[in-house]
Amino acid sequence: MKSPFDIILTPIVSERSMELMEQKKYVFKVSKKANKSEIKEAIEKIFDGVKVEKVNTINMLGKTTRYGNKVGKKSDWKKAIVTLKEDSKTIEFFENM
């Protein structure tokens, strides 16, 4: 079984993710191979007292970039939007932002 830190890679901090926090929704970059149930378990293990209601996942395509004459591509990644239950504690990582 994978470690929860292998599934949840980084939190995503942007204007949109800060607006979603008011609705108890948090955005994370996750492993491409992780499914919704694994993401839910990992969030509940990493953050104590957090109860996940729903997980939405999105496969994000990497952007194409140019380096002089060469054309490259950034890697694809997966994004998860985690909705918490109403009686759940908030994720303290995002509190100070």
Side-chain angles (χ1 to χ4, degrees), residues 2 8-9 13 18 20 29 31 34-35 40-41 43 52 56 58-59 67 71-72 74 80 90 92 94-96:
K2 293 182 186 177
I8 307 298
L9 302 178
V13 179
M18 291 297 140
L20 289 174
K29 182 176 180 180
S31 170
N35 58 30
K40 178 180 178 179
E41 291 173 10
I43 292 291
V52 176
N56 294 338
I58 306 157
N59 286 315
Y67 303 101
V71 177
K74 293 186 179 181
T90 59
E92 296 162 359
F94 292 97
E95 290 287 323
N96 300 328

Side-chain angles (χ1 to χ4, degrees), residues 69-96:
N69 292 337
K70 309 283 184 197
V71 177
K73 183 177 178 296
K74 293 186 179 181
S75 61
D76 300 339
W77 55 286
K78 192 175 208 178
K79 176 167 67 171
I81 302 174
V82 178
T83 305
L84 304 182
K85 293 183 179 178
E86 290 183 14
D87 59 342
S88 173
K89 291 173 58 177
T90 59
I91 295 179
E92 296 162 359
F93 179 80
F94 292 97
E95 290 287 323
N96 300 328

Side-chain angles (χ1 to χ4, degrees), residues 15-83:
E15 287 184 29
R16 183 167 185 265
S17 67
M18 291 297 140
E19 291 174 4
L20 289 174
M21 281 180 22
E22 297 169 0
Q23 304 169 13
K24 285 204 163 193
K25 294 182 180 182
Y26 297 89
V27 184
F28 295 93
K29 182 176 180 180
V30 297
S31 170
K32 282 191 59 128
K33 296 182 180 179
N35 58 30
K36 291 181 180 185
S37 60
E38 289 175 341
I39 295 169
K40 178 180 178 179
E41 291 173 10
I43 292 291
E44 290 175 348
K45 285 182 184 176
I46 292 173
F47 303 104
D48 294 330
V50 172
K51 298 176 187 172
V52 176
E53 180 179 346
K54 178 170 69 167
V55 176
N56 294 338
T57 58
I58 306 157
N59 286 315
M60 305 295 289
L61 297 176
K63 296 179 179 179
T64 56
T65 57
R66 288 194 52 194
Y67 303 101
N69 292 337
K70 309 283 184 197
V71 177
K73 183 177 178 296
K74 293 186 179 181
S75 61
D76 300 339
W77 55 286
K78 192 175 208 178
K79 176 167 67 171
I81 302 174
V82 178
T83 305

